[in-house]
Amino acid sequence: MLILNVILVIFLIICAVAVERTKDLLGAVIIFAAYSLIMAVLWLMLQAPDIALTEAAIGAGVTTILFIGVISRTRRMEK
Amino acid sequence: MDDIIVKTITRLIVPFIQVYGIFVILHGHISPGGGFSGGAVLGSSMILFTLSFGLPMASRKIPHKVTSILETSGILWYIIIGLAGIYLGGKFLVNKEAGFFMGQAGELISAGIIPLLTLGIGIKVASTMITLFHTIIEED
């Protein structure tokens, strides 16, 4: 279980840095959805299943769709 | 988007998502979850419907006027329950001292006014999600 925890946290940090470094905003939104999914699993391992449920529904679902809706209204690449 | 696979899968899976959302809302006081999580799941099911069938069809299913009325009535329901606590017990949202039915801990019908409050929060959050998404993607 400790090995899985370490792998998840390392992947979480990689995702968080990659969101900040990516110039393509659509790619950044997709990486951010992966970040939210990892975060939901981590909440579940921290014995907080209600927060995990909310994170999986809001972070990985609704926020991603709202960001993609905003990107379709503006431009895709960061200046 | 005109894709028969996406439409068929959506038609099959949306009722299950909605049943799960209603389950999470109604069991908010005895299991993990509650009004916010269940409302988010309910709202996501209607967002999935809008994505696969398009905005005109979704607006026919649940018009903008209906979602705004539901959103307002959710928060009004919460305030009315809280004021009933003032009327019966002395403080806002008071539960046990006001004499509401407490029941056996762990059963579905128990805990006084908390299931009613969770229902109001769930309706409010679900209609807010739908209103936000429809407002973002509608054409000017």
Side-chain angles (χ1 to χ4, degrees):
Chain A
M1 215 47 155
L2 184 69
I3 301 289
L4 179 63
N5 211 338
V6 168
I7 292 173
L8 284 179
V9 170
I10 289 174
F11 194 72
L12 187 77
I13 294 171
I14 291 174
C15 281
V17 174
V19 167
E20 188 263 335
R21 307 276 306 173
T22 313
K23 294 291 182 201
D24 187 359
L25 291 178
L26 189 61
V29 167
I30 293 169
I31 299 170
F32 191 65
Y35 171 89
S36 287
L37 195 63
I38 301 295
M39 200 66 223
V41 178
L42 277 175
W43 283 125
L44 193 62
M45 291 170 72
L46 290 170
Q47 311 286 325
D50 47 345
I51 309 291
L53 195 60
T54 310
E55 179 83 33
I58 298 284
V62 179
T63 313
T64 308
I65 293 173
L66 289 182
F67 275 147
I68 290 177
V70 171
I71 285 175
S72 73
R73 283 314 179 87
T74 56
R75 59 179 186 277
R76 180 175 165 177
M77 300 307 256
E78 189 181 358
K79 266 189 192 170
Chain B
M1 187 160 59
D2 200 20
D3 190 355
I4 188 154
I5 298 175
V6 173
K7 282 186 177 177
T8 309
I9 293 294
T10 303
R11 208 177 287 138
L12 282 176
I13 212 170
V14 159
F16 291 99
I17 300 177
Q18 287 177 345
V19 164
Y20 180 62
I22 293 170
F23 172 83
V24 171
I25 289 176
L26 289 184
H27 287 72
H29 54 299
I30 51 177
S31 72
F36 193 76
S37 319
V41 173
L42 267 184
S44 332
S45 76
M46 278 317 289
I47 288 179
L48 176 64
F49 186 85
T50 310
L51 278 177
S52 50
F53 284 89
L55 188 59
M57 180 86 174
S59 295
R60 249 199 330 275
K61 283 277 185 202
I62 179 158
H64 188 77
K65 189 177 278 184
V66 172
T67 54
S68 57
I69 288 174
L70 280 178
E71 197 176 343
T72 318
S73 62
I75 195 67
L76 278 179
W77 174 248
Y78 193 98
I79 293 173
I80 287 170
I81 297 280
L83 291 180
I86 287 187
Y87 180 68
L88 292 169
K91 295 195 187 72
F92 191 68
L93 283 179
V94 72
N95 195 358
K96 194 174 181 182
E97 288 82 358
F100 291 112
F101 177 69
M102 295 306 284
Q104 192 77 28
E107 287 184 0
L108 183 58
I109 301 177
S110 64
I113 58 175
I114 295 179
L116 302 176
L117 292 180
T118 316
L119 188 65
I121 298 170
I123 291 172
K124 165 94 179 153
V125 174
S127 51
T128 305
M129 296 287 164
I130 300 169
T131 311
L132 268 177
F133 185 63
H134 285 185
T135 311
I136 279 188
I137 69 164
E138 72 184 353
E139 300 290 335
D140 301 316

